[in-house]
Amino acid sequence: ILGKVYDVTTGEEFYGEEKGDYRFYSGRDASPCFSTGNNTPEGAEQNVDEWEDKKLIAIYEWAEFYEVHNTYKYLGDLAGSKYFDAQ
């Protein structure tokens, strides 16, 4: 979310490749999905740069959720299609 990568392994029932309702969030920056609820690859590809602030609030709230989550640990950042670990 917002270019940050988190280890969501403990939430496999949500993010699991085959069964999780939020499986499209894994492996990409799916920031738009957090606001629109369009949990599809197409939904994840929406460009948030042109969105109004009101529509971005949900994304920022979810970003905060991940930042303080007890088990979803921050791993690094996405820059374009490249991943950079926190180390």
Side-chain angles (χ1 to χ4, degrees), residues 12-84:
E12 184 177 359
E13 67 271 19
F14 304 110
Y15 303 100
E17 190 173 339
E18 295 184 21
K19 61 182 176 178
D21 288 342
Y22 305 113
R23 64 186 170 275
F24 298 110
Y25 291 31
S26 299
R28 65 177 51 86
D29 186 340
S31 295
C33 299
F34 288 92
S35 180
T36 66
N38 182 1
N39 299 328
T40 65
E42 295 80 18
E45 293 175 7
Q46 292 183 31
N47 184 358
V48 300
D49 292 337
E50 300 171 3
W51 287 10
E52 296 179 19
D53 291 347
K54 183 170 99 174
K55 199 170 178 182
L56 295 171
I57 290 172
I59 297 172
Y60 291 118
E61 289 172 344
W62 277 107
E64 185 175 345
F65 166 82
Y66 285 93
E67 283 182 30
V68 300
H69 199 279
N70 290 333
T71 59
Y72 297 164
K73 300 300 180 201
Y74 170 74
L75 296 176
D77 296 300
L78 284 176
S81 63
K82 307 227 185 274
Y83 165 69
F84 299 91

